[in-house]
Structures are given as structure tokens and as C-alpha cells.
Amino acid sequence: MRVLVTGGAGYIGSVVTEELLNDGHQVVVYDDLSKGHRAAVIADAEFVEGDLHNAKLLGDTLQHKEIEAVIHMAAYSLVGESCVNPAKYYNNNVVAGLTLLDAMIESDVKRLVFSSTAATYGEPDQQPISESAVTNPTNPYGETKLALERAMSWYDAAHGLRYASLRYFNAAGATEKCGEDHDPESHLIPIALQVAAGTRPHVEIFGDDYPTSDGTCVRDYIHVVDLARAHILALDALNASSRIYNLGCGGDGYSVQQVIDTVREVTGKEIPTSIGPRRAGDPSTLIASSAKIKEELGWQPKHQDLRVIVESAWRWKCEHPNGYGNQ
Ligand SMILES: NC(=O)c1ccc[n+]([C@@H]2O[C@H](COP(=O)([O-])OP(=O)(O)OC[C@H]3O[C@@H](n4cnc5c(N)ncnc54)[C@H](O)[C@@H]3O)[C@@H](O)[C@H]2O)c1
């Protein structure tokens, strides 16, 4: 298949591109490099530097490159920033997203895998979170992802757009070629690895008085390769009908303290921490259930163990101490 990966110069998109190419697909990466890196685009993929708001370039790309399906990863995804600047998130995640949907319909490309988020659920009482949980986002980031998902279902009804939306929490880990290089970095594992590498003084833990086994928040971490495989499986299943799947790490999740301990073990470094107050809107536990995608599509994560995830991220960091900046 000829697949367009929006956001393919970003963290997850680069690994999705790598896995698609490994499977023999042809890939065109479409990215404006606002957050991603040219060096993260796998050499065998074609690259189009462009903004999703550019309907003409999108349409030309879909038609001239004879694209058959789209994996849509391009978005802004900083929860805190979305709360102080919601317009930025509506503009990029919804308005630009609709530009993509329109360009697809005009170009008769009707298969779409969407990288959504489990932030669409907000803070449900039931954990792990299943797809039947009520969606009630608590920040503009989750709200904008949900808005585009809803638009997709209307585009399906009106135009036959077949989509799969994947909702998950924290991507983590690396391949040999691709790793996580965000600025600013907001994810716990790369932050702890920055401390291990000596480029950050300590990890701040936001609250240690939660009702969890060690008092710190429990979260889901999924290896980025397992995530990429889920996107490709969902793409293959699109002939039948549109669908929504959650992706989770399968167990009880990992506490912030467990992650830091694992980073200590893997790197052999001390990893100083400081305990700060709880952050507003941080629930004690957030984990998603993968039961549906396992049952319907046979998704089987292969790199679920936290140690394996951290080892892969540390290996990449040691080989790319400045991220993509030194390439
Ligand atoms: N990283 C996670 O833990 C996580 C968890 C759940 C969902 N997601 C979703 O997965 C997707 C990828 O996340 P990531 O961590 O790889 O993010 P990322 O920031 O590394 O990658 C996003 C890419 O999209 C590009 N982009 C953004 N706006 C664009 C636009 N208007 N036009 C063209 N390109 C644009 C950026 O340059 C970047 O390369 C996002 O949609 C995010 O919401 C990520």
C-alpha cells in the first residue's frame, strides 16, 4: 500500500514509518517539522515538508503520490500548553485535521488510522479503561482529539470514510534508528534519562500521597514498536468498518516510583528526585484496557516489560546524546 504518514518526522510517526517500510509498504511522510526532525524521517520514505493547513499541497500529495491510506499522527500534544492556549490546539488538531479529511475525500482516499489519545476519557472511575467508558476530556488536548474523532464518524456516514481511532496514554521506548526527542520534554521516561545523562538535575515527582502501592501515580507505558504495530493492524482491518480501540500495557500499569527505580537499575545512575505537590487534574491511576483490539485484531504487544522499554530508550539516548540534533 502507498501510505501517507502525517507527523512522520515525530516520535511515534517515525517508528510507524519504519515498521510500514519493514512490511513492504511505500511511505510518504507529510510533516511541517514544527515539532519533528528531518533526521527522524527514515531514509526509504519520501518526505513532503508541509503544513496540514495547506489544502492544496495536501491534495496534490494525496493525488500525485497515489496515496491509498493515511495514518494521521500530526498534532500538538502538550496537555499543559493546551490549557493555557486552547486556540492553538483547536487550530492544529481540529481545523487542520478537517483540512486533511476534506483533502482525503476530494482525492478519494477513504482509509484513515488516527492517533487519538486516552485523554478523551478524562478521569473515569473504572480502571483499566475500556472503549465503553464515557468520554469526558478534562483538557483541550483531549477535547480536540475527541472532536476530530467525532467528525470522522460523520465523514464516514456522509462519505464512506473508514477510520480506526487508537486511544492510548504514554508511548515509550525506541528502536535502533528512532527515539524520543521532544522540546520541551514532558514524558517521565525521557526526563529520567536526561537526569541519568547529566543534562537535568533531578526528576520532580508530583505527589507521593496517592492511594497507590507506593503513593505515586500509576500510568500506562506502551513500547513505541507495539504501538506502531497496532496502527498497521488497524490499517489492515479497515476494509470492514470504522472502529475505536484502546491500547494499554496490559497489566496494572507502573507507578512513577517504579519507573524511576527501573531507570536507576538500567542506567546504573543515582537519579535524584524531589517531591512536589500534586498537579491539578492528575488522577491516581490511568490505564487503558487492550482487550478489544487483542480479541478483534489479535494485537499482541511484544515489548511490554518496563525494563525492556527503558533499556531501548537508554540505548538510543546513549547513541544520540543530543537527540536528532547531532545528525
Ligand atoms: N507520545 C505519546 O505518549 C502519545 C500518547 C497518546 C497519543 N499521542 C498522539 O500521537 C501522535 C504523535 O505523538 P508524538 O509523541 O510522536 O508527537 P510528536 O510531536 O513527536 O510528533 C508530531 C509530529 O507532527 C508534526 N506536526 C504537528 N502539527 C503539524 C501540522 N499542522 N502539519 C504538519 N505536521 C505537523 C510535528 O512536526 C511532529 O513531527 C500525536 O497525535 C499525539 O497526540 C501521543
Side-chain angles (χ1 to χ4, degrees), residues 11-12 31 35-36 51-52 73 92 115 141 145 169 171 182:
Y11 170 43
I12 307 174
D31 198 301
K35 295 281 176 183
D51 185 339
L52 281 178
M73 320 281 311
N92 206 32
S115 195
Y141 166 58
K145 287 280 180 171
F169 287 111
H182 289 129

Side-chain angles (χ1 to χ4, degrees), residues 248-265:
C249 64
D252 297 329
Y254 299 101
S255 75
V256 170
Q257 189 61 58
Q258 274 176 299
V259 171
I260 292 167
D261 290 343
T262 306
V263 170
R264 285 188 179 125
E265 280 168 32

